[in-house]
Amino acid sequence: MQRTFILLKPDCVQRRLMGQVIARFEAKGLNFVAMRMLQITPELAKKHYAEHVEKGWYPMLEGFITGGPVVAAVVEGLDAVRVVREMLGATNGLQAAPGTIRGDYSSSQQMNLVHGSDSLESAAREIALYFADEQVCSYEPTITKWMHAANE
Ligand code: CDP
Ligand code: MG
């Protein structure tokens, strides 16, 4: 069982796609264990995207990600880091495969709707940027026994 961090970016909120995106993750079998809406500050953006701060396109990304409210969330599930990344698809919505979230809803490299952690280490770092330990609510959904075999 893994935890990973998801961010519904400002384009997702503005385009009223939050419900459709959340429904896909729920239908897959991922459990939402934390969620909150906030507006990202430039300081938080620089921490979240620390690996990209020096890139030429970072100022555009910062303007976008701080430009409207976002929804931060933590989901839990088997192999959750990889599963979420594959559900998102390639970074550029124009290249993301149909059937992925970005492939189905995005026509942009920047405005690609949803962020997902790229490794377990990134997930732990990003979860800690947005949530205190006590804000993550672990629980066992009663439906679990119908989502996967007991030995999976
Ligand atoms: O989000 P992902 O890990 O797929 O992509 P990334 O290469 O780590 O880039 C982080 C985010 O920066 C992307 O999701 C885009 O929103 C944005 N980006 C951008 O605005 N311009 C680029 N040339 C590349 C990425
Ligand atoms: Mg990335």
Side-chain angles (χ1 to χ4, degrees):
M1 194 63 75
Q2 294 180 350
R3 277 181 185 170
T4 191
F5 177 73
I6 286 173
L7 189 75
L8 307 186
K9 300 185 186 186
D11 54 333
C12 187
V13 176
Q14 296 290 338
R15 291 177 57 194
R16 302 177 172 86
L17 290 172
M18 291 188 290
Q20 292 185 57
V21 167
I22 291 166
R24 285 188 180 216
F25 291 129
E26 287 191 316
K28 179 67 178 172
L30 293 157
N31 299 327
F32 279 80
V33 294
M35 185 178 280
R36 77 181 173 106
M37 189 174 239
L38 70 151
Q39 188 138 358
I40 296 181
T41 61
E43 292 69 34
L44 179 55
K46 287 183 184 74
K47 288 183 191 161
H48 180 121
Y49 285 123
E51 63 174 323
H52 297 312
V53 167
E54 302 302 326
K55 307 240 167 88
W57 44 266
Y58 177 77
M60 289 284 290
L61 172 60
E62 186 180 287
F64 162 58
I65 209 73
T66 63
V70 298
V71 172
V74 180
V75 296
E76 212 168 63
L78 296 174
D79 218 359
V81 170
R82 184 189 58 78
V83 166
V84 166
R85 290 284 289 189
E86 290 195 11
M87 289 178 73
L88 296 186
T91 302
N92 188 333
L94 293 173
Q95 287 156 15
T100 64
I101 291 168
R102 290 165 172 176
D104 286 351
Y105 298 116
S106 163
S107 298
S108 167
Q109 182 161 57
Q110 180 194 73
M111 298 191 183
N112 56 11
L113 298 160
V114 188
H115 166 85
S117 307
D118 63 9
S119 65
L120 269 178
E121 297 69 37
S122 300
R125 189 185 76 84
E126 292 166 6
I127 290 168
L129 280 180
Y130 290 84
F131 295 99
D133 285 350
E134 65 271 19
Q135 291 176 315
V136 181
C137 311
S138 219
Y139 61 96
E140 181 70 28
T142 54
I143 201 173
T144 298
K145 65 177 179 172
W146 294 108
M147 298 300 293
H148 56 81
N151 64 349
E152 285 182 299

